[in-house]
Amino acid sequence: MIRNKIIYFILVISAILFFILYADNLSLLLLILSAVFPVFMGIVTIAARICIKADITSSPAAVKDTETQYKITVRNKSIFPYPNSIITVEYRNIFGDDVQEFRISVPIPPRNTQCITFGLSSNCCGKLSVKIKNIRIYDYIKLFSAKIRCRCQCSTTILPQTFPVKGTANNAAIMSDEGDVFSKYHSGDDPSEIFDLKNYVPGDKINRIHWNLTMKQDELITKHYSQPVESSILIAVDMPETSGKDVLRHIDAAAETAASLSSFFIENEALHKLCCFDKKYGETVLCSITDISDITAYIVKLLSGGCGNNIISALSDSIGKYSKFYYIAPSVSDSDIKKLSEYADTEKTIAAADIPESATDSENLKFIKIEPERLETCLSQIIM
Amino acid sequence: MKQNNNIYISEDGINLTDHLTMTVSRKKSIPRFIPMLLISFCGVFGTVFSFITMFDIPCSIGQIIYYTSLFYAAFSAIFLAPKKVWLLLLPILSVYEIILYRKWNDFLYGFMLVYNKIYVQLSKTHTEYFSPKRRDIMPSDARMLFLAMAIFLITVILCYVTITKPNFFMGFLFSFPFIELGLYYGKVPAYWCIFLLIAYWVSLLSIHQSGYYKYYSKKKSSFIKKGNNFYAKPNIKFRTAEASGLIVLQFTVVAITVASLYVSLSGFTRTDKVNTMRYNISHAVNNFTFDDVQGSLERLSASFGLDSVKVTTHRLGQYSTLAYTGKTDLTIKLDKTLENNTYFKGYVGSVYSGKSWEEPEEAFYKKYNDTFDLFRNSGEFPQNFLYDAFSASDSNIVNAEISTRYRNEKYNYTPYNAVPEENWSYVYDTVVKKGSPQKYSFSLLDNQDFDYLFYTYDDNAQILYGSSLSAHDAYSEFVRDVYLDVPDTDEMKKLKSDYQYLFKKYESGDPVVYTTLANIKNMLAEENTYTLSPGKTPSDRDFVSYFLTENHKGYCVHFATSGVMLARMAGIPARYAEGYVVCPEDFSNKTKLEDGSYEIKLKDNRAHAWAEIYLEGIGWVPFEFTPSAAFNSQQIENHNKTTRPNVNITMPTLPQVSKKTTASQTHTTVKSTILSHAANKNSSVSSVHSKSNISPVYKLSAAAVFSIILIALFMLLRYKHAMKKRIKGFNSANSRQNTINAYKYLIRLLEFIDIKAENMEYTEFASYATDNSRHLFSGDEFITVTKYALEASMGRHEIPYEDSKAAVKLSMKTAEKIYERQSPFKKFYMRYILNLY
């Protein structure tokens, strides 16, 4: 652009010289034209600044490794077309350090709205933040340019994938004599809720026969009572204090571990709770997980929080209430381990990518090192 | 970022896919063909009719319009149509060639007729270039045939470069020469034609600048991806580009129309200032000479109104014409009128080189150091001799104040008989300096009539010693050494022998001063003509010799220089002086101010050159060799210009050298006493300044500063270019090349700190470098990067992006570490000389 300015400046000087040296009115008209033309270009550029607006939208959540479409909408209210414009888009994962940008050189037609769609996918879960950094508009001969700063951005939560966990849940630990929630898969002895009605099979208890139905159906029908279950499992996922490339991978592994674990428990009817720190409200949030959608909502909340949580301190009063406590984090410090060791009754499993070397398993405390490449194996070890 | 099949993956694992789509809500827009038709119409019709109207080619305008329209419509339609339709061009061009072949003689005849028409107009003669004689075809038909064939070619070319692939440079190249030919010779086409052309160029430029054709590929996608950037392809951009061309076309038409209306309705006429500037620029350009680039450039800048900078050059014979601007150079305020012509001297030329007046070398003055020491100690400088001789007379003192318009004025213009002051500084024996040359004041004796001194000098002249005898005696030897010097060339020797008859001498051999001077002056007046347009002196000729023997035309500089040289040949010490002249006529009523003083504005045409003659016992006395009759009439010189400005060139009314038969009583009774100047010993400033010309030291300093600035700029640009290139080399799409570039950079860095590979193998050197620069590399970083580089240059597999990124990172980190450890000088060297960081 500087080259164009220099060339135009030389042109103006030439026009002035031509005006001085050439006595005809032609030279005056050329001088006027060469003087007025940049003014017109300036007006065109200013019009761009006033009349062009842009916005970016996308879906709020997407699964890892799947492409998410982002749509940039550019509105031009002016009558001027802009064949030379460059939109700079910046994107990053808020848990990572890397900020990337790319440029789109695109014309902007007059009095029109155009949509530019592009796709981004992420290998790591987290929160993808995409924003239009600026739009630079050039005039027709690239003498001037206007930079339109757009404060528009959008975020997409990248959800982790879940992996199958090999193993079975110890249902005895979660089956209960009292409780308001009943198992959907197993019968029990709680008469307050009937699990199922079946034909009499020799061996069934006589006092379980449903006499009213038997009379009606002329065959023996027995009642199977429900089994109350209660949640005594707590899975807490902690976020690191800083962002970074390695941290991102660990967060990714932690989120996948938590999601996979939670899915496993749901499949095995192990009601459980997931815990995370809600940065928006500054408090610990406990989510009761009864189905997959609850996991999704939890992950979104977890990843929206960003970095800088330390959930162990917030959970210090709660851990003792649970028979099993799973702590999943990118790293765990000696002080955290010491805090957790205080709760002797609770079975604790600490799964982290970075575990101090001094950490050793004890009766109720187990350490599992999360290796993103061997996540399934780690998950099995957690369950065992 | 990793690159894998055009999918860019950031370090955080975010993939940017390579396809981009764009949709537009309102698809209705101007059909493509309208802007391009309009723009190409302007180009074709503008070019054709500019040519026709510029040279007044005799032809049927109706037929021209018919052929232009026909060809324009045909080719526009073809080029707008799908490419298959372009096959029609083949038969069309074939028909064209057949016609050309069959009608070749007629075509050639038509060409000659048109050429003759143009030639006669441009060469301003009545003689035609060709003399074709054909009786079998009418000249008008032949002319029309030629024009039609030419219009065909112009149309097809301009339509192609405008409609198919708009290219400003091609469009300009094929249209501009047709009008440039005429414009150069002052021919102007019809305004509407040239404005069509301008609109065409501007619109084409805006389309060209949109760059819509820049990124093209055969793939069907809408965008091309290069690196991390997406570029819209022509099929996306062309509508907007053409719409922009249309907007620019509309603006140009409106602007030109409004401007034309304004000019015609307002009756705009150029100011005299512009006309004067045109004249001055033409004159400066015509007189530009590489023999005196500085002076030529200064004249050129002065012609542009940058005339607060004075041209100071003492080169002789470089102007073919003297041109005056009529501006006031000096403003002199005097409290009384002057009765005689008064010379205000600014410059003295002592040594004549044949092409210029110069100062003696410093070494020469050192030879006469004793003489000048005497002047310094006694306070009696040659500049004051004349005053000293007349100071005791009953002359009135006139107070004067001078101001000049030049910012770079070097000289104080002081009159003869100026009253010496304490704050004067003396430039050897030539001029005095006082304070700022832009504004200063002094006092002078009002008896400025020195003519009688010459004719009384020979008659046992009364020696009017005012200063001490010793001062005069000491100075006389210096005068004879310097001011009798004539270049020892054949031309000077010939002049001396040719004009020997003018030199009158006593029996003792001493020259008869007045007679000799009068003879020289009369000879100069009789044999030479005063003119402001004498022409330049050829660079291989002596200035005086050329004037006296060949040209015989000149102005005051010619006469003064020749007079001085002839006087020297006659044995009369003489030197050259420049300055301004005030005449008694200047004190007319209108110059009188309210306080009774007189303000005189000396214009540039009052600049003058004269001679100074040294009279023993008196000092340097001005003598006029320029013929007085030449100044009594105003002359308006005709100059070769495109227009004639309203500038009157007036000759300065210079003093008439006439014999005064009666000197004033006061002059004849001047005492020939030796005055002691003991009182002046302490008051005079005895510092001797260097030459009044620009000191070589200043010139050298200015040149040095300028060179330093240039070198600094060059280094900075070189540095920026190198950095840009390096960054490009690290971020290209080819990770292999990135790795190699990073490795090469590392090697250069290590060489800078004297870790050189010499005859070692790569891996060997890597270990050696790692061992010897532990502070730079942690672990086996460099060894790893070396392996990457070897793989990149010799391996078959693609280098993972992470590896190349690691190599680049290491090189940048190493550069930073090395840079931080260097001394400031080495940092500068590393950065700006070697461009390593």
Side-chain angles (χ1 to χ4, degrees), chain A residues 19-20 22 24 27 30 67 83-84 98 100-103 105-106 111-115 117-118 121 123, chain B residues 1 11-13 15 17 20-26 188 191 195 198 210 228 230 232 237 270 278:
Chain A
F19 169 69
I20 293 170
Y22 195 75
D24 201 79
S27 57
L30 282 176
E67 190 176 293
N84 296 303
D98 196 25
Q100 291 290 325
E101 64 180 42
F102 66 94
R103 290 181 186 83
S105 172
V106 67
R111 299 183 78 84
N112 220 323
T113 302
Q114 63 188 57
C115 299
T117 313
F118 61 94
S121 63
N123 294 346
Chain B
M1 287 179 64
E11 282 185 5
D12 291 346
N15 311 336
T17 52
L20 214 71
T21 56
M22 189 177 99
T23 54
V24 178
S25 62
R26 265 185 56 203
V188 183
Y191 280 15
F195 291 139
I198 291 167
S210 74
N228 218 16
F230 293 88
K237 263 195 158 183
R270 285 156 192 269
R278 181 187 318 110

Side-chain angles (χ1 to χ4, degrees), chain B residues 23-290:
Chain B
T23 54
V24 178
S25 62
R26 265 185 56 203
K27 296 208 174 150
K28 282 185 190 172
S29 60
I30 303 164
R32 197 202 156 198
F33 61 84
I34 290 181
M36 301 323 293
L37 278 179
L38 283 171
I39 294 169
S40 57
F41 171 89
C42 291
V44 170
F45 280 79
T47 306
V48 169
F49 284 93
S50 290
F51 183 77
I52 300 289
T53 56
M54 189 185 305
F55 298 111
D56 286 330
I57 308 287
C59 56
S60 162
I61 293 295
Q63 279 193 306
I64 295 289
I65 294 173
Y66 167 72
Y67 282 119
T68 311
S69 308
L70 175 68
F71 297 144
Y72 167 71
F75 290 116
S76 304
I78 290 172
F79 290 128
L80 277 173
K83 281 203 174 164
K84 285 183 185 170
V85 180
W86 291 20
L87 290 169
L88 281 174
L89 283 173
L90 282 172
I92 292 173
L93 288 172
S94 305
V95 167
Y96 177 82
E97 282 178 22
I98 291 167
I99 294 173
L100 193 63
Y101 175 74
R102 293 185 69 166
K103 301 264 181 185
W104 175 250
N105 291 330
D106 298 338
F107 173 83
L108 208 57
Y109 180 46
F111 163 74
M112 289 180 192
L113 290 170
V114 171
Y115 189 90
N116 282 340
K117 179 71 179 169
I118 297 171
Y119 180 79
V120 161
Q121 290 181 53
L122 298 186
S123 62
K124 292 187 172 57
T125 62
H126 295 292
T127 314
E128 293 182 339
Y129 191 82
F130 294 108
S131 308
K133 282 176 188 156
R134 293 277 302 274
R135 287 185 189 169
D136 55 336
I137 182 170
M138 296 289 288
S140 57
D141 292 340
R143 217 179 281 121
M144 199 65 239
L145 174 68
F146 167 74
L147 287 172
M149 303 300 256
I151 290 170
F152 178 94
L153 276 179
I154 291 168
T155 311
V156 69
I157 292 168
L158 286 180
C159 284
Y160 177 77
V161 303
T162 308
I163 296 173
T164 56
K165 201 172 177 183
N167 187 316
F168 167 73
F169 298 110
M170 297 302 284
F172 188 78
L173 200 64
F174 281 105
S175 51
F176 181 67
F178 292 99
I179 64 159
E180 193 272 343
L181 177 70
L183 280 177
Y184 183 78
Y185 289 98
K187 305 292 290 180
V188 183
Y191 280 15
W192 66 271
C193 303
I194 201 158
F195 291 139
L196 275 182
L197 264 183
I198 291 167
Y200 168 66
W201 290 332
V202 176
S203 317
L204 203 57
L205 177 67
S206 71
I207 296 176
H208 184 99
Q209 283 288 339
S210 74
Y212 89 93
Y213 62 90
K214 202 172 166 185
Y215 299 101
Y216 174 75
S217 83
K218 289 181 184 173
K219 290 182 188 172
K220 284 188 181 172
S221 60
S222 306
F223 288 84
I224 286 180
K225 195 172 183 190
K226 288 198 178 223
N228 218 16
N229 301 321
F230 293 88
Y231 299 95
K233 283 168 71 176
N235 55 323
I236 298 281
K237 263 195 158 183
F238 74 82
R239 280 194 191 275
T240 317
E242 286 160 13
S244 68
L246 190 61
I247 294 268
V248 169
L249 182 74
Q250 290 168 355
F251 168 76
T252 309
V253 168
V254 166
I256 288 172
T257 308
V258 169
S260 303
L261 281 171
Y262 164 74
V263 169
S264 55
L265 289 174
S266 66
F268 176 85
T269 52
R270 285 156 192 269
T271 60
D272 287 339
K273 195 175 174 183
V274 171
N275 291 329
T276 309
M277 199 184 276
R278 181 187 318 110
Y279 168 71
N280 291 337
I281 293 170
S282 305
H283 172 73
V285 167
N286 289 335
N287 284 295
F288 194 97
T289 168
F290 287 102

Side-chain angles (χ1 to χ4, degrees), chain A residues 8 34-46 143-144, chain B residues 251:
Chain A
Y8 199 83
S34 60
V36 167
F37 201 74
V39 174
F40 175 64
M41 292 295 113
I43 292 169
V44 166
T45 316
I46 290 169
L143 271 185
F144 305 112
Chain B
F251 168 76

Side-chain angles (χ1 to χ4, degrees), chain B residues 337-342 582-588 600 653 655:
Chain B
T337 59
L338 295 171
E339 293 173 7
N340 308 107
N341 292 335
T342 307
V582 171
C583 308
E585 292 79 24
D586 292 325
F587 296 95
S588 57
I600 299 164
T653 50

Side-chain angles (χ1 to χ4, degrees), chain B residues 10 13 26 31 33 153 191 194 210 235-236 254 286 318 412 462 476 496-497 566 589 633 663 684 690 757 799 810:
Chain B
S10 71
R26 265 185 56 203
F33 61 84
L153 276 179
Y191 280 15
I194 201 158
S210 74
N235 55 323
I236 298 281
V254 166
N286 289 335
Q318 57 177 331
N412 291 95
Q462 295 174 26
S476 290
K496 189 173 178 180
S497 70
L566 289 171
N589 286 335
S633 60
S684 301
S690 57
I799 301 294
L810 179 66

